[in-house]
Amino acid sequence: NAGVMQNPRHLVRRRGQEARLRCSPMKGHSHVYWYRQLPEEGLKFMVYLQKENIIDESGMPKERFSAEFPKEGPSILRIQQVVRGDSAAYFCASSRLGEQQYFGPGTRLTVT
Amino acid sequence: DQQVKQNSPSLSVQEGRISILNCDYTNSMFDYFLWYKKYPAEGPTFLISISSIKDKNEDGRFTVFLNKSAKHLSLHIVPSQPGDSAVYFCAASGPNFGNEKLTFGTGTRLTIIP
């Protein structure tokens, strides 16, 4: 009964490169949420997806960031042309409709 | 605009005593509140929750109290144990819990002193 899985756990990118973060929800969960935690801060909501649909992207930066949750396969958070300010821990959570969110271990992105 | 606030960045408590972590919120639309515990290099783990129709919820050593008029909630841990040392986040959801985002506080680092 695996929990939410995220990979990679650590990702180092140079400025200007692309970062792809993957999230596999728990079995039976069709809702995925992405949150970002900057150093010494709380988790900030980015985007909420259901299979093949973006439900709420009110927390996503307007440029360079995108997310998808295809019918098959993991959810992907994509950051294009990364900058130093993108360095953070990115957490994915999954849930069933109407139930609490379960979090993955996070991906720590470092931009050099 | 920080809608969920945890004003104590850190707290130290003697083992066996009560730990009380506080959280304030400003958004009247919040309807459901949760506490998460987080160890370094791990994701947050759900601890306990409370709906706005209640003022108390208890689960083993953990009790959450909600004061809607004051827009304040607290988490009590009794008795505190060394394994409770972690960062604790308060989170809130609107009436559509389970189908919408969570808004988190900035966290309180709890240290239990043996």
Side-chain angles (χ1 to χ4, degrees), chain B residues 25 28 52 66-72:
Chain B
Y25 62 96
S28 301
S52 62
L66 175 62
N67 182 335
K68 277 191 71 177
S69 59
K71 292 192 177 67
H72 177 84

Side-chain angles (χ1 to χ4, degrees), chain A residues 3 10 20 22 24 26 29-30 66 73 92 106:
Chain A
H10 300 275
R20 282 191 179 225
R22 294 175 189 77
S24 297
M26 287 177 68
H29 288 193
S30 58
S66 62
C92 164

Side-chain angles (χ1 to χ4, degrees), chain B residues 4-5 20-25 32-35 48-50 64-68 70-76 90-92:
Chain B
V4 178
K5 299 176 186 177
I20 300 176
L21 295 95
N22 294 303
C23 177
D24 297 291
Y25 62 96
Y32 206 86
F33 303 89
L34 307 93
W35 285 94
I48 192 168
S49 63
I50 188 166
V64 56
F65 295 91
L66 175 62
N67 182 335
K68 277 191 71 177
K71 292 192 177 67
H72 177 84
L73 61 154
S74 60
L75 174 68
H76 293 210
C90 170

Side-chain angles (χ1 to χ4, degrees), chain A residues 59-101:
Chain A
M60 285 281 267
K62 293 287 185 282
E63 297 175 350
R64 302 188 296 107
F65 285 73
S66 62
E68 63 176 6
F69 188 17
K71 189 176 179 182
E72 303 288 339
S75 174
I76 306 284
L77 179 68
R78 183 180 176 212
I79 312 172
Q80 295 178 293
Q81 299 174 329
V82 295
V83 301
R84 288 233 171 94
D86 297 333
S87 294
Y90 292 81
F91 292 96
C92 164
S94 74
S95 75
R96 290 191 175 95
L97 179 65
E99 297 184 5
Q100 59 149 324
Q101 298 174 28

Side-chain angles (χ1 to χ4, degrees), chain A residues 21-81:
Chain A
L21 289 64
R22 294 175 189 77
C23 169
S24 297
M26 287 177 68
K27 188 175 181 180
H29 288 193
S30 58
H31 298 242
V32 165
Y33 303 78
W34 286 94
Y35 295 83
R36 175 166 66 175
Q37 184 182 23
L38 294 169
E40 305 303 319
E41 292 189 15
L43 282 74
K44 298 270 199 251
F45 168 76
M46 298 182 76
V47 63
Y48 166 31
L49 310 104
Q50 294 175 19
K51 287 280 188 183
E52 299 184 283
N53 284 308
I54 296 175
I55 306 303
D56 180 0
E57 55 182 347
S58 58
M60 285 281 267
K62 293 287 185 282
E63 297 175 350
R64 302 188 296 107
F65 285 73
S66 62
E68 63 176 6
F69 188 17
K71 189 176 179 182
E72 303 288 339
S75 174
I76 306 284
L77 179 68
R78 183 180 176 212
I79 312 172
Q80 295 178 293
Q81 299 174 329

